Amino acid sequence: LNGDVRKGGKTPDGEPDGSVFTVKGESVGIQVGTAIATLVRKTDHNPAHHVSFRHLWGQGKCAELLETAEMEPGELYQDIRPVLPLGLPFLQTAVSENWFDWPSLPELFPKSFPGVQTKRDSFLIDIDVDRLRSRVTEYFDADVSHEKLARRYPVAMKGSSGFVVRDARLVRDSLIARGGPTKAGFVRHAYRPFDQRWLYWEPGHGLLGRPVPDYWPHVFRENLWLVTQQKPRREWSPPQVIAHIGCLDLIDRGATCIPTWLRDDDITNPNGQDRRPNLSIAAQNYLTALDASVEDLFHHALAVLHDPAYREANAGALRMGWPRIPLPGWPKGTAEGAAGELAHSASRGRQLAALLDPDVPVPGVTQGPLRPEMTVIAVPATTHGRNMADEDFAVTAGWGHTGKGDAVMPGQGRVVERPFTPQERSAMAGCYGTLLPLGDTTLDVYLNDHAFWRNVPLPVWRYKLGGYPVLKKWLSYREQRVLGRALQPEEVLHFAEVGRRIGGILTLQGGGTK
């Protein structure tokens, strides 16, 4: 009987879906699911084998309930059999018949780490490394009093993780006594999807809210990480791929970072390397039988989890626990054709991984010559008809502002919906026209009153990763009053490049992963 604010408070037809408790003029949804039940247990009873379920949509729930009170339940309700291993969901749950025959991600890749959380993002994280160094150097300067530092950077001297301000001072004093900031502490940081920044990382001393010190030794450029989670708060999101230390908020409600490799500083494996694959014994035996590698398994898992058909067939199960990965010939790897199937899927996964990692150039998408459909996506332009110049780079269209606790809140910004030009339609028809439904209109996304990115197709603009609308989230942090400066030319091009990467991802998904 409740509307669901997490789904926008709308019915499947897009109409308002208020709960039975909705007050006129207030939000139509509520945050917490509500059940109203009368339960009777008889002395002589049969065990329950199914649940009868019914949706009541829209704003007339109470009236509809009364009108149908005398009808036979069989005419109104759907009988479902809740799945115990999924936690007994009392509604129809999309899950493949073989779901529990497939290994979960932790059963394949046993070691994982939660993302880093600073609880002082505005102080310890920055898009510009020089600004970050300046703040951190001042933090370590004993001649700067606690009071002066607190006035300049209030969040730096606030308590975190349950500590009071006094503890924040003790943390600073202990770090100053140790010496200045460590050069190695300034590291690249996967902060949000497609949004790489700089982080000042300390393994202990309380400077970061959640430093995850055992995570850092395994971060090196050759090591790719799958970013996912066990149970999402809202809709399940396909995994990200990162190569830098990841943020806990890469995914709404908390990111789990799963490495391909683990580094052993004290142990050299038989191959003479200081790293070993992050594999369970069962996964290692499976790959050995197929003469495959941990990278093959990693990229196969990535391809599967980005496959729209897989996600649709298992949408309910993905909301209830760890993703499970169908593997050809699992667990022995002896089935005919299994090696070829795995290799084919891993090849698709490698293409996805390159598109998802902003540091990896992708020929035809981020490296020239660009594919025809890529040349017309998110093209920097101005209303004057000339190329963008320095004076055009300030983002002032209202994409974001700083809220409580220095959190950046998204704004409405400015987009203009318009028909595709014949040139845009012609360039995109060969690829997107068959694999990715484009509709009849596209968007121009504005930085300010006179500068914009031309032709950001609606599927690209609406694309979400980690629960965030990727391009809009990126823009919210680049509003001039948030960033403190205009964009650099490479940042203007980065937005366009991310738009093309998303287009490439959607095209791959449209073509399937089989």
Side-chain angles (χ1 to χ4, degrees):
L1 298 177
N2 61 289
D4 192 344
V5 71
R6 292 173 180 166
K7 296 180 180 178
K10 301 290 185 181
T11 70
D13 296 327
E15 298 298 320
D17 187 31
S19 78
V20 291
F21 307 107
T22 297
V23 177
K24 188 175 181 180
E26 298 295 328
S27 172
V28 297
I30 58 177
Q31 290 283 356
V32 181
T34 302
I36 301 174
T38 301
L39 306 177
V40 179
R41 183 180 181 91
K42 301 177 181 179
T43 303
D44 297 321
H45 66 275
N46 295 319
H49 294 289
H50 65 268
V51 169
S52 297
F53 182 83
R54 174 187 178 192
H55 271 300
L56 288 158
W57 295 108
Q59 297 178 297
K61 290 180 172 65
C62 289
E64 184 181 354
L65 199 62
L66 289 172
E67 290 170 2
T68 58
E70 302 300 323
M71 293 179 65
E72 286 295 323
E75 299 178 25
L76 301 170
Y77 288 82
Q78 175 187 13
D79 283 350
I80 61 174
R81 294 184 179 274
V83 182
L84 178 59
L86 290 181
L88 291 176
F90 283 5
L91 74 168
Q92 193 65 43
T93 302
V95 57
S96 294
E97 182 179 352
N98 299 324
W99 178 258
F100 292 104
D101 296 330
W102 303 336
S104 68
L105 279 177
E107 290 172 330
L108 297 172
F109 307 102
K111 193 68 175 177
S112 63
F113 304 90
V116 169
Q117 185 181 46
T118 73
K119 297 194 175 180
R120 296 183 175 94
D121 284 8
S122 62
F123 184 73
L124 293 172
I125 297 173
D126 207 308
I127 293 167
D128 299 322
V129 68
D130 290 338
R131 293 195 310 196
L132 178 60
R133 283 199 180 100
S134 177
R135 290 198 302 269
V136 173
T137 300
E138 195 167 356
Y139 179 88
F140 278 87
D141 187 348
D143 292 333
V144 178
S145 68
H146 293 315
E147 291 73 23
K148 182 177 180 180
L149 190 72
R151 286 194 298 271
R152 285 181 58 80
Y153 311 110
V155 71
M157 297 305 294
K158 287 183 178 179
S160 65
S161 301
F163 294 107
V164 295
V165 173
R166 178 181 62 84
D167 299 306
R169 293 175 177 175
L170 292 175
V171 166
R172 184 180 180 225
D173 289 339
S174 68
L175 284 167
I176 291 174
R178 186 205 66 189
T182 61
K183 184 178 180 180
F186 295 94
V187 298
R188 293 294 282 159
H189 184 41
Y191 185 67
R192 295 289 184 272
F194 291 103
D195 192 348
Q196 314 264 30
R197 305 195 183 186
W198 290 93
L199 162 72
Y200 181 70
W201 182 82
E202 283 276 358
H205 301 280
L207 183 59
L208 277 70
R210 187 199 292 252
V212 200
D214 54 341
Y215 178 173
W216 174 246
H218 309 289
V219 179
F220 50 97
R221 179 57 220 176
E222 299 82 10
N223 201 14
L224 288 182
W225 298 69
L226 204 65
V227 181
T228 186
Q229 61 186 169
Q230 180 177 6
K231 190 174 183 179
R233 178 166 58 179
R234 296 183 176 89
E235 293 301 308
W236 184 81
S237 176
Q240 300 163 52
V241 172
I242 61 173
H244 305 296
I245 195 164
C247 179
L248 184 69
D249 295 319
L250 273 168
I251 297 180
D252 181 38
R253 201 193 184 194
T256 297
C257 303
I258 302 174
T260 314
W261 294 93
L262 298 170
R263 172 162 277 165
D264 290 326
D265 290 332
D266 301 326
I267 301 174
T268 300
N269 67 26
N271 296 322
Q273 297 177 321
D274 63 348
R275 62 183 185 179
R276 58 184 171 87
N278 179 25
L279 291 172
S280 65
I281 294 175
Q284 183 64 75
N285 291 339
Y286 169 79
L287 293 174
T288 299
L290 295 179
D291 193 23
S293 69
V294 64
E295 286 97 344
D296 293 327
L297 183 60
F298 178 94
H299 289 104
H300 167 74
L302 179 66
V304 166
L305 296 176
H306 275 265
D307 182 356
Y310 166 89
R311 288 156 52 192
E312 181 180 357
N314 300 289
L318 288 168
R319 287 195 294 267
M320 305 298 290
W322 285 111
R324 291 179 173 270
I325 309 299
L327 289 167
W330 175 265
K332 295 184 178 181
T334 55
E336 184 178 355
E341 288 183 45
L342 184 72
H344 178 74
S345 178
S347 174
R348 183 62 61 91
R350 284 182 171 85
Q351 296 177 61
L352 278 168
L355 289 163
L356 286 162
D357 186 348
D359 290 340
V360 176
V362 182
V365 177
T366 67
Q367 267 187 339
L370 299 182
R371 302 199 311 244
E373 72 273 14
M374 296 296 176
T375 62
V376 295
I377 292 180
V379 179
T382 67
T383 56
H384 310 306
R386 57 171 172 76
N387 292 332
M388 276 195 197
D390 291 349
E391 62 269 22
D392 303 313
F393 293 159
V395 179
T396 58
W399 288 110
H401 64 276
T402 302
K404 185 178 180 181
D406 287 337
V408 175
M409 309 302 293
Q412 291 298 316
R414 183 188 175 197
V415 297
V416 174
E417 188 170 356
R418 61 166 176 81
F420 287 103
T421 66
Q423 178 191 8
E424 291 164 348
R425 175 65 74 180
S426 174
M428 302 176 76
C431 184
Y432 291 137
T434 56
L435 298 179
L436 176 63
L438 288 173
D440 297 321
T441 59
T442 187
L443 300 176
D444 292 334
V445 178
Y446 279 76
L447 293 80
N448 47 58
D449 289 340
H450 56 275
F452 60 96
W453 289 279
R454 178 189 293 122
N455 183 33
V456 180
L458 284 167
V460 172
W461 177 248
R462 292 170 178 167
Y463 180 75
K464 288 186 177 183
L465 204 57
Y468 306 110
V470 170
L471 292 175
K472 187 176 181 181
K473 188 70 174 176
W474 188 91
L475 276 172
S476 70
Y477 289 110
R478 271 72 182 178
E479 184 78 18
Q480 182 163 285
R481 56 181 172 171
V482 174
L483 182 58
R485 61 167 175 79
L487 296 184
Q488 301 293 335
E490 58 269 22
E491 292 170 321
V492 174
L493 295 176
H494 174 79
F495 181 94
E497 179 180 293
V498 172
R500 297 197 298 268
R501 286 179 182 271
I502 293 171
I505 292 167
L506 293 173
T507 303
L508 269 179
Q509 292 176 348
T513 58
K514 302 300 183 187

